Amino acid sequence: MAYEIVDSCVSCTACAMVCPNDAISEQDMQFVIDSTLCTECAGDFDDPQCASICPVEGAIVDELGYELNPLGSLTGIIPLSAA
Amino acid sequence: MKLPVLIDKTVSNPIEQQASGGCSSGSCGSSQQAVNQLPADIQARVADHPCFSEQAHHFFARMHVAVAPACNIQCNYCNRKYDCSNESRPGVVSEVLSPDQAIQKVKAVAASIPQMTVLGIAGPGDPLANPERTFETFRRLSRETPDIKLCVSTNGLNLPDCVEELSQHNIEHVTITINCLDPEIGARIYPWIFWNHKRVRGVEAARILIEQQQKGLEMLVARGILVKVNSVMIPGINDQHLLEVSRVVKEKGAFLHNVMPIIAEPEHGTYFGLTGQREPTHQELQSLQDACAGDMNMMRHCRQCRADAVGLLGEDRGEEFTLEKIAAMDIDYDAAMEKRQQIQAQLLEQLHRQQAGGEVSLPDATLCSSEAQSRPVLMAVASKGGGLVNQHFGHATEFLIYEASPQGVRFVGHRSVDKPYCENSSSCGDGDSVLQTILSKLKDCEMLLCSKVGYEPWSALEDAGIQPDGSHALEPIEDAIQAVYQEMADKDLLSSESETQQQSA
């Protein structure tokens, strides 16, 4: 049970600051979640902290690849192709 | 008739006279009226701060270090995804620095640009959402570069929690961006905030943010820290509301209000840019600033610079100080400090001298009685700096706008164009479109003062109702404007009838 950061990450560091498990660190090009440390915040918070502060839609996904912040959910911008 | 120069002497008188310098003319920080109206003790504190005085910004430089990448709110006019080096807007940087790298960069810049007096942390996220990085930077700078003034800007959400620490670092100025007091309006500007471990949305998010901003403002004022308020003018959303914002923040003790136009270009990928939110016209911005000015010291020369800008307002020398380049520099800060002190003392003296020489006599009795009916006239000025009419029309990428009236001459803003009319010697007049853009930006101006102007643009300007005038080349801007206004009065062009004629022409 762990989340993953994909390459749309802009490396803003916000997720790393709020992670209760210090599971997030900066690697070469983007931030990475250590799957052995990530608990999806179970037991600590109601909502996963990284996904609650991340400003980029689609940048954090669960093990099935499901986007925690799907397109349009943060900015309200729905691309024409999806509208 | 002699007109008074209504410059912002807000900050400190010395500063203001230079009306144009690095930023071409007056547009970065505040207008001089604003500074002039401040209490003397505050004027002294901000005398060498380039962002607070239109005049100071021609003498003194500032820099931002981008140590604060994270943000705790989303604004509909912001998009964190892009960094194009050509882009100049807040929230954009080329590289984020660690506190260590920031200290190194500050020392390098301070040694190379001795007139740099102010260091700000402005992002690219929210500095107070990155308290460890921001405060480590401030702590070290207070100790290692004690001659540099520190300031910070914030959206205010974390401000109340940070006031205590801020007050320990000799931080004189804090800028809070306050776009609204009404949560219903706020909900149209801020889609979400991160608060108490949750993403909070809508009116509730705006309510919390507004409450924190107001509380933070009050706490800073109570501790004697100067607070400037920035507001982004968003037509149709908060434009009328900003009058109320201005009144309230003044009442609570903010010393300066900076109303800036929203930047909403689709290519920036912001919500407002992509949904067709329009930017205010120059006239709308100026009217709002004028309306707010009844209650509040207004700032009119803000350049909305990047969160990693370096240099005089309106210029960005960041490229000279990349990490790679500063790593190669060996800085003796004590020696640099000595040099800085000397140079800054000279600059202040120059500023004072300019000010003394720039005293303008008050209108005489005849003006007040007979000519007071004269209408105000907007004039555009091409200037390379130094407070002079000294730029060729074809080279200008920015025009300073002044209003002349029987009450005096005042700076009202600056207008930029992407390209000058003459991009290089061979392409002068290349594009009629460039000229058309300039004409449309200056369409409410009746005069254009510059050092020279070519035949073709001269005709085009005249046809557009903008009279070019190269006869005041190298004169101080305010003097030139007064002279031109006087000439217009002598030709009887200032009665209300002449305005009607002009408008119908």
Side-chain angles (χ1 to χ4, degrees), chain B residues 458-475:
Chain B
W458 182 293
S459 309
L461 283 159
E462 272 193 342
D463 291 347
I466 306 166
Q467 181 60 50
D469 185 335
S471 64
H472 295 275
L474 301 180
E475 291 177 18

mmCIF file of all heavy atoms in Angstrom, chain B residues 458-475:
data_model
loop_
_atom_site.group_PDB
_atom_site.id
_atom_site.type_symbol
_atom_site.label_atom_id
_atom_site.label_comp_id
_atom_site.label_asym_id
_atom_site.label_seq_id
_atom_site.Cartn_x
_atom_site.Cartn_y
_atom_site.Cartn_z
ATOM 1 N N TRP B 458 6.114 59.585 -36.555
ATOM 2 C CA TRP B 458 5.602 60.917 -36.206
ATOM 3 C C TRP B 458 4.207 61.104 -36.807
ATOM 4 O O TRP B 458 3.255 61.479 -36.123
ATOM 5 C CB TRP B 458 6.562 62.008 -36.714
ATOM 6 C CG TRP B 458 6.143 63.402 -36.358
ATOM 7 C CD1 TRP B 458 5.039 64.082 -36.832
ATOM 8 C CD2 TRP B 458 6.768 64.291 -35.426
ATOM 9 N NE1 TRP B 458 4.959 65.326 -36.259
ATOM 10 C CE2 TRP B 458 6.015 65.481 -35.391
ATOM 11 C CE3 TRP B 458 7.910 64.184 -34.625
ATOM 12 C CZ2 TRP B 458 6.360 66.569 -34.585
ATOM 13 C CZ3 TRP B 458 8.254 65.274 -33.828
ATOM 14 C CH2 TRP B 458 7.479 66.451 -33.804
ATOM 15 N N SER B 459 4.095 60.812 -38.097
ATOM 16 C CA SER B 459 2.802 61.000 -38.769
ATOM 17 C C SER B 459 1.741 60.086 -38.166
ATOM 18 O O SER B 459 0.607 60.495 -37.938
ATOM 19 C CB SER B 459 2.914 60.677 -40.263
ATOM 20 O OG SER B 459 3.988 61.377 -40.809
ATOM 21 N N ALA B 460 2.161 58.843 -37.913
ATOM 22 C CA ALA B 460 1.188 57.886 -37.373
ATOM 23 C C ALA B 460 0.709 58.328 -35.989
ATOM 24 O O ALA B 460 -0.478 58.224 -35.663
ATOM 25 C CB ALA B 460 1.814 56.496 -37.295
ATOM 26 N N LEU B 461 1.637 58.838 -35.187
ATOM 27 C CA LEU B 461 1.264 59.306 -33.852
ATOM 28 C C LEU B 461 0.291 60.478 -33.977
ATOM 29 O O LEU B 461 -0.741 60.511 -33.314
ATOM 30 C CB LEU B 461 2.518 59.728 -33.070
ATOM 31 C CG LEU B 461 3.370 58.585 -32.506
ATOM 32 C CD1 LEU B 461 4.794 59.033 -32.226
ATOM 33 C CD2 LEU B 461 2.735 58.030 -31.218
ATOM 34 N N GLU B 462 0.629 61.419 -34.842
ATOM 35 C CA GLU B 462 -0.253 62.580 -35.024
ATOM 36 C C GLU B 462 -1.642 62.151 -35.462
ATOM 37 O O GLU B 462 -2.646 62.624 -34.946
ATOM 38 C CB GLU B 462 0.349 63.521 -36.074
ATOM 39 C CG GLU B 462 1.295 64.529 -35.469
ATOM 40 C CD GLU B 462 1.645 65.640 -36.449
ATOM 41 O OE1 GLU B 462 1.435 65.459 -37.679
ATOM 42 O OE2 GLU B 462 2.130 66.672 -35.982
ATOM 43 N N ASP B 463 -1.666 61.219 -36.439
ATOM 44 C CA ASP B 463 -2.969 60.761 -36.933
ATOM 45 C C ASP B 463 -3.779 60.122 -35.819
ATOM 46 O O ASP B 463 -5.003 60.131 -35.833
ATOM 47 C CB ASP B 463 -2.784 59.745 -38.067
ATOM 48 C CG ASP B 463 -2.227 60.420 -39.321
ATOM 49 O OD1 ASP B 463 -2.231 61.676 -39.356
ATOM 50 O OD2 ASP B 463 -1.774 59.707 -40.231
ATOM 51 N N ALA B 464 -3.079 59.527 -34.862
ATOM 52 C CA ALA B 464 -3.783 58.861 -33.756
ATOM 53 C C ALA B 464 -4.118 59.843 -32.636
ATOM 54 O O ALA B 464 -4.616 59.442 -31.577
ATOM 55 C CB ALA B 464 -2.926 57.727 -33.214
ATOM 56 N N GLY B 465 -3.830 61.113 -32.855
ATOM 57 C CA GLY B 465 -4.173 62.111 -31.842
ATOM 58 C C GLY B 465 -3.143 62.231 -30.733
ATOM 59 O O GLY B 465 -3.413 62.783 -29.668
ATOM 60 N N ILE B 466 -1.953 61.696 -30.972
ATOM 61 C CA ILE B 466 -0.878 61.786 -29.976
ATOM 62 C C ILE B 466 0.214 62.669 -30.576
ATOM 63 O O ILE B 466 0.842 62.299 -31.578
ATOM 64 C CB ILE B 466 -0.291 60.385 -29.671
ATOM 65 C CG1 ILE B 466 -1.402 59.425 -29.269
ATOM 66 C CG2 ILE B 466 0.787 60.483 -28.592
ATOM 67 C CD1 ILE B 466 -0.982 57.954 -29.279
ATOM 68 N N GLN B 467 0.421 63.835 -30.018
ATOM 69 C CA GLN B 467 1.381 64.772 -30.584
ATOM 70 C C GLN B 467 2.807 64.433 -30.112
ATOM 71 O O GLN B 467 3.088 64.532 -28.926
ATOM 72 C CB GLN B 467 1.020 66.199 -30.165
ATOM 73 C CG GLN B 467 1.940 67.260 -30.721
ATOM 74 C CD GLN B 467 1.941 67.275 -32.247
ATOM 75 O OE1 GLN B 467 0.890 67.303 -32.877
ATOM 76 N NE2 GLN B 467 3.127 67.221 -32.842
ATOM 77 N N PRO B 468 3.682 64.033 -31.027
ATOM 78 C CA PRO B 468 5.058 63.773 -30.592
ATOM 79 C C PRO B 468 5.780 65.094 -30.324
ATOM 80 O O PRO B 468 5.462 66.107 -30.949
ATOM 81 C CB PRO B 468 5.703 63.067 -31.784
ATOM 82 C CG PRO B 468 4.619 62.872 -32.792
ATOM 83 C CD PRO B 468 3.505 63.793 -32.460
ATOM 84 N N ASP B 469 6.732 65.066 -29.404
ATOM 85 C CA ASP B 469 7.464 66.279 -29.074
ATOM 86 C C ASP B 469 8.889 65.891 -28.682
ATOM 87 O O ASP B 469 9.104 65.244 -27.670
ATOM 88 C CB ASP B 469 6.770 66.995 -27.905
ATOM 89 C CG ASP B 469 7.421 68.344 -27.599
ATOM 90 O OD1 ASP B 469 8.616 68.520 -27.916
ATOM 91 O OD2 ASP B 469 6.726 69.210 -27.031
ATOM 92 N N GLY B 470 9.847 66.278 -29.517
ATOM 93 C CA GLY B 470 11.247 65.959 -29.231
ATOM 94 C C GLY B 470 12.010 67.187 -28.765
ATOM 95 O O GLY B 470 13.231 67.158 -28.645
ATOM 96 N N SER B 471 11.275 68.244 -28.467
ATOM 97 C CA SER B 471 11.959 69.506 -28.172
ATOM 98 C C SER B 471 12.448 69.599 -26.725
ATOM 99 O O SER B 471 13.102 70.552 -26.357
ATOM 100 C CB SER B 471 11.040 70.683 -28.483
ATOM 101 O OG SER B 471 9.920 70.648 -27.629
ATOM 102 N N HIS B 472 12.104 68.605 -25.921
ATOM 103 C CA HIS B 472 12.547 68.671 -24.528
ATOM 104 C C HIS B 472 13.562 67.581 -24.199
ATOM 105 O O HIS B 472 13.681 67.138 -23.054
ATOM 106 C CB HIS B 472 11.336 68.577 -23.590
ATOM 107 C CG HIS B 472 10.429 69.753 -23.728
ATOM 108 N ND1 HIS B 472 10.624 70.929 -23.064
ATOM 109 C CD2 HIS B 472 9.345 69.928 -24.519
ATOM 110 C CE1 HIS B 472 9.681 71.789 -23.419
ATOM 111 N NE2 HIS B 472 8.892 71.213 -24.294
ATOM 112 N N ALA B 473 14.270 67.154 -25.233
ATOM 113 C CA ALA B 473 15.249 66.087 -25.039
ATOM 114 C C ALA B 473 16.239 66.455 -23.943
ATOM 115 O O ALA B 473 16.689 67.602 -23.851
ATOM 116 C CB ALA B 473 16.002 65.833 -26.345
ATOM 117 N N LEU B 474 16.518 65.486 -23.110
ATOM 118 C CA LEU B 474 17.492 65.595 -22.011
ATOM 119 C C LEU B 474 17.055 66.501 -20.862
ATOM 120 O O LEU B 474 17.803 66.728 -19.929
ATOM 121 C CB LEU B 474 18.871 66.022 -22.528
ATOM 122 C CG LEU B 474 19.468 65.059 -23.568
ATOM 123 C CD1 LEU B 474 20.843 65.539 -24.028
ATOM 124 C CD2 LEU B 474 19.572 63.654 -22.990
ATOM 125 N N GLU B 475 15.837 66.974 -20.917
ATOM 126 C CA GLU B 475 15.340 67.755 -19.774
ATOM 127 C C GLU B 475 14.744 66.814 -18.731
ATOM 128 O O GLU B 475 14.270 65.727 -19.065
ATOM 129 C CB GLU B 475 14.245 68.735 -20.228
ATOM 130 C CG GLU B 475 14.789 69.855 -21.100
ATOM 131 C CD GLU B 475 13.668 70.770 -21.599
ATOM 132 O OE1 GLU B 475 12.559 70.749 -20.998
ATOM 133 O OE2 GLU B 475 13.913 71.485 -22.581
#
